[in-house]
Amino acid sequence: AQSVTQLGSHVSVSEGALVLLRCNYSSSVPPYLFWYVQYPNQGLQLLLKYTSAATLVKGINGFEAEFKKSETSFHLTKPSAHMSDAAEYFCAVTHKNAGNMLTFGGGTRLMVKP
Amino acid sequence: DAGITQSPRHKVTETGTPVTLRCHQTENHRYMYWYRQDPGHGLRLIHYSYGVKDTDKGEVSDGYSVSRSKTEDFLLTLESATSSQTSVYFCAIRDYTTDTQYFGPGTRLTVL
């Protein structure tokens, strides 16, 4: 069985501040990990993914995430928040033989203050 | 955007009525998925398909059925809608070459 926990359902940062969204996973086999972003009234858009290559993964819009096996974490970061980053972010896990069946975390809503 | 469309985009219906949601893709992907999104739960898998007439249940399949008679269309049916099925429904496809799921725009369903 696999699961994902996103700490903090709401995160608020000031424009220009560091963004840190936390994701911890549970998986009995090597995981594939994903971050998706959802803007209001839209579908989910892939930000980045980890599939057992480099542990530091760079995605779109200046986001990156680091896979840390010892901590079972895949936290999402961005050095400097922009107003346009305000959205809901979802972490998801699967593994190679799972038919790509994703298990999602509950989501974190990011608010960016001017 | 992986060529995924969903119809209708919004629907309001009454308890006990049947409802069918349609997902259409244009890129011939073998795997398709239906999820529901509810606050605090992220997305949860309802059913998925791994080919024409090949489907299987996901985490929250009770009260839902699916059909896939051709590669491009994956239908989700609520035989008798209940208020607990009020949700936003997303369809997704799996790009086999990148092992990544891509999502449609969603259908907002309200059951009164």
Side-chain angles (χ1 to χ4, degrees):
Chain A
Q2 54 195 24
S3 65
V4 174
T5 301
Q6 291 184 239
L7 291 175
S9 58
H10 293 79
V11 170
S12 181
V13 300
S14 298
E15 192 173 20
L18 171 71
V19 175
L20 170 61
L21 304 182
R22 298 178 186 274
C23 172
N24 288 89
Y25 70 91
S26 172
S27 178
S28 56
V29 296
Y32 290 175
L33 294 156
F34 301 79
W35 275 100
Y36 287 87
V37 59
Q38 184 181 34
Y39 299 103
N41 300 313
Q42 294 187 26
L44 276 70
Q45 179 181 354
L46 181 68
L47 266 182
L48 51 80
K49 65 180 183 181
Y50 166 79
T51 55
S52 76
T55 56
L56 182 62
V57 181
K58 295 187 184 298
I60 61 172
N61 302 338
F63 284 93
E64 63 181 37
E66 186 172 8
F67 172 68
K68 291 186 176 181
K69 183 178 178 180
S70 61
E71 299 177 8
T72 60
S73 69
F74 191 57
H75 301 331
L76 182 70
T77 60
K78 182 174 180 178
S80 177
H82 192 273
M83 296 297 291
S84 61
D85 294 326
E88 190 154 22
Y89 292 79
F90 294 95
C91 182
V93 65
T94 187
H95 59 83
K96 184 176 181 180
N97 298 316
N100 199 231
M101 290 175 60
L102 291 172
T103 299
F104 283 85
T108 298
R109 185 167 298 279
L110 176 66
M111 295 165 283
V112 182
K113 298 176 292 186
Chain B
D1 63 358
I4 306 167
T5 57
Q6 293 184 232
S7 58
R9 293 294 313 279
H10 301 270
K11 186 171 183 66
V12 179
T13 191
E14 294 189 350
T15 297
T17 60
V19 176
T20 295
L21 308 182
R22 179 183 183 236
C23 177
H24 179 80
Q25 56 133 336
T26 60
E27 298 183 357
N28 214 35
H29 295 289
R30 181 180 167 201
Y31 279 79
M32 299 183 73
Y33 308 80
W34 276 108
Y35 292 88
R36 60 178 289 172
Q37 181 182 24
D38 303 291
H41 291 278
L43 277 75
R44 291 177 292 175
L45 183 65
I46 305 171
H47 281 279
Y48 67 101
S49 170
Y50 45 97
V52 173
K53 296 186 180 177
D54 291 324
T55 65
D56 207 345
K57 296 178 180 180
E59 177 188 358
V60 290
S61 60
D62 286 350
Y64 302 94
S65 62
V66 291
S67 64
R68 192 162 178 207
S69 59
K70 44 186 179 177
T71 300
E72 58 266 36
D73 289 326
F74 191 31
L75 304 181
L76 177 71
T77 297
L78 291 66
E79 300 290 349
S80 177
T82 68
S83 58
S84 65
Q85 294 176 311
T86 292
S87 188
V88 181
Y89 291 85
F90 286 99
C91 172
I93 59 91
R94 175 190 181 187
D95 184 328
Y96 210 86
T97 59
T98 60
D99 240 344
T100 299
Q101 287 189 26
Y102 295 94
F103 288 79
T107 294
R108 184 172 296 275
L109 176 67
T110 302
V111 183
L112 301 176

